Amino acid sequence: MKKILITGGAGFIGSHLVRLFVNKYTDYQIYNLDKLTYAGNLENLSDVEKKSNYHFVKGDIVDAGFINELFAEQRFDAVIHLAAESHVDRSITNPMEFIFTNVVGTVNLLNAAKETWKDDFTGKLFYHVSTDEVYGTLGDNGSFKETTPYSPHSPYSASKASSDHFVRAYHDTYGLPTLISNCSNNYGPNQFPEKLIPLFINNIKHKKKLPVYGKGINVRDWLYVEDHAAAIDTIFHNAKPGQTYNIGGNNEWKNIDLIKKLIEIVDRKLGRPAGESLELITYVTDRAGHDLRYAIDATKLKTELGWEPKVKFTEGFETTVEWYLANEKWLDNVTSGSYMDYYQKMYGNRL
Ligand code: NAD
Ligand code: DAU
């Protein structure tokens, strides 16, 4: 019987990971710790909330006293840490939240794990979920390897890079058994509609302008969220402590090409004439410090642990659009209230 703490389980990737672990490992007790910020939504987990091996704890990882008490009481065997402020644009307008949650929050968890496990680290594990953005940006060629030097450009990626460094430092200094994975852009159901794909699906549906940053030439490597959850499962159960793995979709898209593909699918599914929504494309001021290209070399994960993405992009993309169109209530719930203030602040004078 293992007791596993998953942080940020009410968010996008966290909810897919919690679902996978609760359903697949019925002999584990899964504790989902989440502050329920604007990005955390328990509706994402309504299908597993009544399972006897699932437990929800509302709390803030920045609160060291609370975290220490929780660890002392529950004595988790392992931590999979996803809780974070995750949106680059928000980090540009409010970097401090990113430093508190992503850096201080991570160090609070590391301290609590170290203290709880100090007598014997055997069988214990602290798995930190991170991003490819820590590596900075690529030109037209090449891809990020685990050995690529860190070169973050946004407050978000700087905060994630800092947390990665702390995780490695706790491994090297105290012998804490840690793992890190750095993943590329995820897409799929339950992503908050501030991120490109759900935001644009929602805007196309409502015939609202599509704010394309700069010239739309930035490139991202897209991975279906369930493939990311499967990669975390594989690494969690098979990797040697102290290791780092890159996770990617081998699926690079220039933003503008991806947006045109999205328009094609949404127009088709809504029964609109082909290309009708192309006129919504609106080029706006570029994101400050906008990284040009990300691409992941996930060879290490494939050769050492046998993981590869399973979901083909065409299939995953169709499923994703269908999910947002079918889950109108979910979208309406998360885009009411403070979302409108956010949208106005972020895009009001750009569109
Ligand atoms: P998300 O924003 O959808 O979810 C983050 C979750 O963390 C939310 O449920 C939120 O309530 C919770 N949270 C935030 N601050 C907290 C705090 N102080 N205490 C407790 N809980 C708090 O994020 P996501 O896109 O699911 O990303 C999850 C993790 O994966 C992050 O660490 C992110 O850096 C990393 N990641 C994301 C992507 C991506 O494409 N989305 C890619 C690679 C890595
Ligand atoms: O690479 C992994 C990262 O992917 C994760 O660590 C982050 O948490 C996640 O948010 C994501 O970061 P990006 O900045 O790449 O994702 P976003 O969806 O914000 O933007 C994708 C691309 O689309 C990027 O080049 C910026 C552009 N964009 C985004 C928005 C929101 C636009 O052109 N217009 C927009 O309105």
Side-chain angles (χ1 to χ4, degrees):
M1 174 83 75
K2 269 195 177 156
K3 241 187 192 188
I4 300 178
L5 177 70
I6 298 183
T7 70
F12 168 47
I13 301 168
S15 59
H16 287 273
L17 186 72
V18 166
R19 177 175 302 103
L20 175 71
F21 269 59
V22 166
N23 288 332
K24 184 169 174 186
Y25 301 107
T26 47
D27 55 336
Y28 293 178
Q29 292 296 318
I30 305 299
Y31 286 74
N32 169 18
L33 166 64
D34 201 295
K35 183 181 171 184
L36 300 182
T37 67
Y38 75 93
N41 185 351
L42 287 177
E43 251 186 81
N44 295 345
L45 288 165
S46 52
D47 56 326
V48 296
E49 68 186 4
K50 296 219 162 58
K51 302 252 171 161
S52 59
N53 64 335
Y54 171 75
H55 313 269
F56 175 66
V57 182
K58 185 171 187 306
D60 187 346
I61 59 169
V62 179
D63 182 346
F66 161 75
I67 291 295
N68 292 339
E69 270 174 35
L70 180 70
F71 273 71
E73 192 184 297
Q74 296 296 346
R75 307 202 64 80
F76 304 111
D77 298 300
V79 177
I80 310 181
H81 173 39
L82 293 95
E85 287 293 335
S86 67
H87 191 38
V88 174
D89 292 326
R90 286 186 193 252
S91 82
I92 296 167
T93 50
N94 186 11
M96 289 312 290
E97 271 313 303
F98 287 70
I99 295 159
F100 290 134
T101 288
N102 298 1
V103 185
V104 178
T106 302
V107 178
N108 282 341
L109 290 166
L110 286 165
N111 283 335
K114 176 166 86 66
E115 177 59 26
T116 312
W117 302 337
K118 66 182 177 211
D119 294 334
D120 186 6
F121 285 155
T122 317
K124 306 291 190 267
L125 189 57
F126 189 103
Y127 183 154
H128 177 59
V129 175
S130 192
T131 171
D132 60 356
E133 299 201 8
V134 298
Y135 298 122
T137 188
L138 294 163
D140 291 338
N141 300 305
S143 49
F144 299 131
K145 301 191 176 27
E146 287 79 359
T147 50
T148 301
Y150 276 27
S151 178
H153 297 123
S154 71
Y156 164 68
S157 53
S159 69
K160 291 297 290 189
S162 173
S163 62
D164 291 11
H165 289 319
F166 273 104
V167 173
R168 277 196 195 95
Y170 272 59
H171 174 266
D172 296 350
T173 306
Y174 307 111
L176 192 75
T178 62
L179 287 171
I180 299 177
S181 55
N182 298 85
C183 188
S184 64
N185 286 63
N186 286 215
Y187 71 97
N190 308 100
Q191 187 170 31
F192 193 80
E194 62 188 353
K195 309 281 165 56
L196 180 76
I197 290 178
L199 175 73
F200 277 34
I201 295 174
N202 199 31
N203 281 12
I204 298 169
K205 190 176 114 191
H206 294 289
K207 300 196 174 201
K208 278 171 76 172
K209 288 182 178 170
L210 305 174
V212 181
Y213 295 165
K215 296 186 175 131
I217 55 171
N218 304 70
V219 175
R220 297 291 183 264
D221 171 3
W222 293 95
L223 177 71
Y224 192 63
V225 61
E226 287 181 1
D227 273 333
H228 187 187
I232 294 173
D233 179 12
T234 300
I235 295 167
F236 178 82
H237 286 100
N238 300 293
K240 281 203 193 92
Q243 292 294 314
T244 292
Y245 290 88
N246 282 352
I247 309 171
N250 212 6
N251 176 38
E252 288 181 53
W253 284 79
K254 200 182 271 185
N255 286 346
I256 193 63
D257 297 335
L258 183 93
I259 290 160
K260 287 181 178 163
K261 183 84 194 147
L262 206 51
I263 288 172
E264 177 205 313
I265 301 176
V266 179
D267 277 348
R268 170 163 43 80
K269 291 199 185 289
L270 290 177
R272 294 181 185 163
E276 186 183 77
S277 301
L278 286 169
E279 65 179 34
L280 300 174
I281 291 177
T282 309
Y283 291 92
V284 299
T285 327
D286 207 352
R287 172 186 278 173
H290 198 173
D291 288 330
L292 178 67
R293 176 170 164 260
Y294 303 143
I296 280 281
D297 178 347
T299 311
K300 180 179 173 189
L301 183 52
K302 182 178 172 189
T303 51
E304 288 187 9
L305 305 182
W307 176 90
E308 274 187 285
K310 284 206 172 71
V311 178
K312 299 223 167 6
F313 188 64
T314 38
E315 197 185 298
F317 217 35
E318 292 269 344
T319 311
T320 300
V321 172
E322 267 161 32
W323 190 86
Y324 287 98
L325 295 181
N327 286 272
E328 201 164 354
K329 210 165 134 248
W330 184 93
L331 257 181
D332 289 348
N333 283 349
V334 297
T335 55
S336 62
S338 60
Y339 177 86
M340 294 317 290
D341 295 339
Y342 162 80
Y343 194 82
Q344 181 58 28
K345 251 188 234 143
M346 203 57 73
Y347 297 106
N349 55 9
R350 279 165 136 182
L351 285 170

